[in-house]
Amino acid sequence: MTANPSGPIGVFDSGIGGLTVAHAIKQAMPNERLIYFGDTAHLPYGDKSAAAVQAYAVKIADLLIAQGCKVIVIACNTASAVANELLKEYTASRAKVINVIEPMVTKLAVRNPRGKVGVIGTRATIASGIYGRLLRQARPGIEVAELATPLLVPMIEEGFVQGRIATDVIGNYLDHPQLAGSRHLVLGCTHYPLIRDEIAAYLGAEVAVYDSSLVTADYLQNYLEQKKLLADRPVTQPDHFYISDYTDNFARLAKRFFGGDVTLEEYKLWE
Ligand code: DGL
């Protein structure tokens, strides 16, 4: 793999949720240039089959590699759960692939958490059982409970991130018997950082909440440092934020997920 330190970092997601990861990367490494692809034409991935998500991921990876990306970040738990292995094989020597699940598992394994670990995510992520499998491999005997929380993505996208509706929905999920007694909670979806504070407030100080956007940015920075692939001077070209189907609503949401101004460009990858 002959990656170029001045190449951009490719980041993709089913839509705008991965902008939380893009934002965390930009905060940690302001010199880096980003090329983001949000596959809004196929949103949500969380209810799609593994085969469908794999096919989308391969096509997006081709685009990011063609744009000279030195690394590809799968900024979506669902795609990380079902398409990571295939994508690693597919991109092989052409680009390193980093997902949002392995960094979280690594962090938790190193921390060696005492007590039960709860994981919330989309139906597809939870059905894959990937967090439990990888955490048990890393720390045999660890207690993991995984719960699908499919209402959270549409709730967040509709702007219900605070107030009674958000608290009711969050509370309903977090009070599920499956999560009872958890001492740690993994936010296994890149949309969830937007309700991290509400979740943490609901759970109280005795439950540690882990946000994959920050953990992934940290992991990526370590990787780029180790491989001497960090950009050594500030970017001169602008970041690019592509989405496969443009609507004004996505443009509005993108600002919220990125936490600042972001201009979305439509890229019809599927035509
Ligand atoms: N951001 C996606 C994830 O992390 C969830 C949205 C979707 O279902 O496409 O899984």
Side-chain angles (χ1 to χ4, degrees), residues 10-217:
V11 181
F12 80 89
D13 177 42
S14 55
I16 57 281
L19 286 170
T20 57
V21 181
H23 173 73
I25 293 172
K26 204 70 194 175
Q27 290 290 107
M29 295 167 275
N31 278 354
E32 300 294 334
R33 177 171 171 241
L34 301 183
I35 298 196
Y36 183 87
F37 191 91
D39 190 11
T40 49
H42 296 123
L43 184 90
Y45 280 4
D47 293 327
K48 299 277 187 307
S49 68
V53 174
Q54 287 166 354
Y56 306 148
V58 160
K59 200 144 183 208
I60 296 166
D62 277 339
L63 169 75
L64 296 174
I65 290 170
Q67 303 246 343
C69 290
K70 59 185 171 188
V71 57
I72 294 176
V73 179
I74 311 177
C76 171
N77 280 263
T78 309
S80 296
V82 303
N84 179 57
E85 292 309 314
L86 178 93
L87 215 54
K88 273 192 176 147
E89 230 172 86
Y90 179 72
T91 57
S93 58
R94 295 183 296 152
K96 164 83 177 170
V97 175
I98 285 178
N99 64 70
V100 285
I101 296 176
E102 277 167 15
M104 181 64 78
V105 168
T106 307
K107 185 185 170 96
L108 278 166
V110 168
R111 195 167 276 203
N112 193 13
R114 309 240 169 276
K116 182 170 166 180
V117 178
V119 182
I120 54 172
T122 65
R123 277 199 184 94
T125 300
I126 299 305
S128 76
I130 190 158
Y131 276 100
R133 198 162 56 248
L134 294 181
L135 280 167
R136 280 187 280 269
Q137 259 167 32
R139 285 277 164 201
I142 193 170
E143 192 186 351
V144 185
E146 295 162 274
L147 182 73
T149 50
L151 255 186
L152 295 183
V153 165
M155 180 188 90
I156 293 166
E157 291 194 352
E158 287 307 320
F160 294 105
V161 292
Q162 282 172 335
R164 196 168 51 80
I165 292 177
T167 310
D168 281 356
V169 174
I170 289 168
N172 227 280
Y173 280 136
L174 298 182
D175 288 344
H176 194 284
Q178 220 168 311
L179 296 179
S182 296
R183 309 296 295 170
H184 308 265
L185 185 77
V186 173
L187 306 185
C189 173
T190 55
H191 275 66
Y192 300 173
L194 269 83
I195 51 168
R196 181 204 166 115
D197 290 348
E198 286 66 29
I199 289 177
Y202 192 87
L203 291 171
E206 58 283 359
V207 181
V209 177
Y210 300 82
D211 170 345
S212 59
S213 62
L214 300 174
V215 176
T216 303

